[in-house]
Amino acid sequence: MPKALARGEVKDLVQAWGDAARRAHEAGFDVLELHGAHGYLVHQFLSERSNARTDEYGGSELNRMRFITEITEAVRTHWPDHKPLFVRLSVEDNAGWGPEQSARLAKTLKTKGVDVIDCSSGGITEMAPILGKEIKYSYQVPLSEYVKRHADIMTMAVGLIIHGDQAEQILRDGQADLIAVGREILNNPNWPMDAALKLGVEGPFRNVPPQFGYWLGTRAKRGFGTQPSTWQNGLGEDSVKGDTLR
């Protein structure tokens, strides 16, 4: 059966995060992201739906933010200032925690050394909170835009961002500072190179071994008379249901 963490156990976990950051730095990692979304432990502390504590880690919004705030402080003790620190949040969980709360937390975390908020959603209940009846391209991007504008912090957008020009437009529109691509990378592990080619970036094969680049470049010039899979202007406003989105 689940049980509430004792206060001492909470403090031990905070230190464990700090120790993990130290090991990550020693191992040569360049970026850290703290996972505070999707119903995992940090989110459980943030959510008034799941947090029933009566000590300094529960009750008020400020108290519920204390755990991630202390984690961030412990991590920054061991994680150098010049290395980026991200925090992933369920900016909207449809269970009492939403964009306004996320923006207030982001402001606090920025003062503690967080550089970027990775803006996702959901996790406390069984419901996917902002999908509704249809799944749209860039469906979580408004969460990134809200936090960016209201917390004055850099954000990373996620959520059915599957085409290079789609990602580029989000950046140009100022809705995010970074784009995270997840499932589409699983579908197409060469997505960054593919996007570079379709966006007309000079030397799109420069980051692969030369023998790869030669053959891929030759193949690309042939064309084969096919339609590119890249998102076209206007399609981003449409919605497609379920797994039919390609």
Side-chain angles (χ1 to χ4, degrees):
M1 292 293 293
K3 68 177 184 67
L5 291 164
R7 185 177 182 278
E9 292 176 310
V10 175
K11 296 296 184 183
D12 289 343
L13 283 170
V14 169
Q15 185 57 50
W17 253 284
D19 292 340
R22 173 181 50 78
R23 292 192 297 269
H25 173 54
E26 292 171 352
F29 284 92
D30 297 314
V31 179
L32 277 186
E33 178 171 272
L34 307 179
H35 203 325
H38 303 159
Y40 294 116
L41 185 61
V42 170
H43 189 188
Q44 292 172 30
F45 272 79
L46 292 173
S47 171
E48 61 183 5
R49 176 74 64 90
S50 56
N51 187 340
R53 302 181 70 93
T54 57
D55 59 8
E56 70 267 36
Y57 293 98
S60 70
E61 181 179 285
L62 185 62
N63 280 357
R64 287 182 281 115
M65 292 178 179
R66 192 182 307 277
F67 186 48
I68 182 59
T69 302
E70 291 184 353
I71 288 172
T72 302
E73 292 172 337
V75 165
R76 267 303 182 194
T77 299
H78 300 283
W79 188 247
D81 290 340
H82 69 276
K83 289 190 174 184
L85 178 61
F86 292 29
V87 172
R88 179 164 238 205
L89 296 178
S90 283
V91 176
E92 173 61 76
D93 69 7
N94 272 18
W97 182 271
E100 293 181 359
Q101 290 86 351
S102 295
R104 286 194 288 269
L105 175 58
K107 287 181 180 179
T108 297
L109 295 179
K110 183 179 179 180
T111 68
K112 304 298 181 180
V114 170
D115 300 294
V116 176
I117 301 296
D118 178 0
C119 300
S120 190
S121 64
I124 284 295
T125 73
E126 73 280 7
M127 300 297 294
I130 62 174
L131 295 183
K133 296 181 179 179
E134 53 188 15
I135 301 176
K136 298 180 179 180
Y137 285 104
S138 306
Y139 71 95
Q140 295 186 113
V141 172
L143 301 177
S144 167
E145 183 176 19
Y146 185 95
V147 173
K148 177 178 171 63
R149 293 184 176 179
H150 289 81
D152 189 27
I153 193 171
M154 290 190 291
T155 60
M156 183 160 68
V158 304
L160 278 181
I161 302 171
I162 65 175
H163 300 299
D165 46 0
Q166 177 193 6
E168 179 69 11
Q169 194 62 51
I170 293 166
L171 297 176
R172 289 184 180 275
D173 289 345
Q175 295 176 289
D177 300 279
L178 295 164
I179 302 293
V181 179
R183 290 178 180 87
E184 190 61 21
I185 290 284
L186 297 177
N187 179 61
N188 176 10
N190 292 310
W191 187 92
M193 185 174 63
D194 185 50
L197 175 64
K198 291 171 178 174
L199 289 171
V201 176
E202 184 179 356
F205 302 120
R206 66 185 183 278
N207 291 321
V208 297
Q211 61 271 35
F212 288 22
Y214 172 79
W215 287 110
L216 289 171
T218 300
R219 179 180 183 272
K221 292 177 182 178
R222 293 183 184 135
F224 299 110
T226 60
Q227 294 295 321
S229 62
T230 304
W231 175 76
Q232 300 296 315
N233 289 336
L235 185 59
E237 300 300 322
D238 296 336
S239 61
V240 189
K241 296 181 179 180
D243 290 334
T244 60
L245 182 57
R246 290 292 182 267

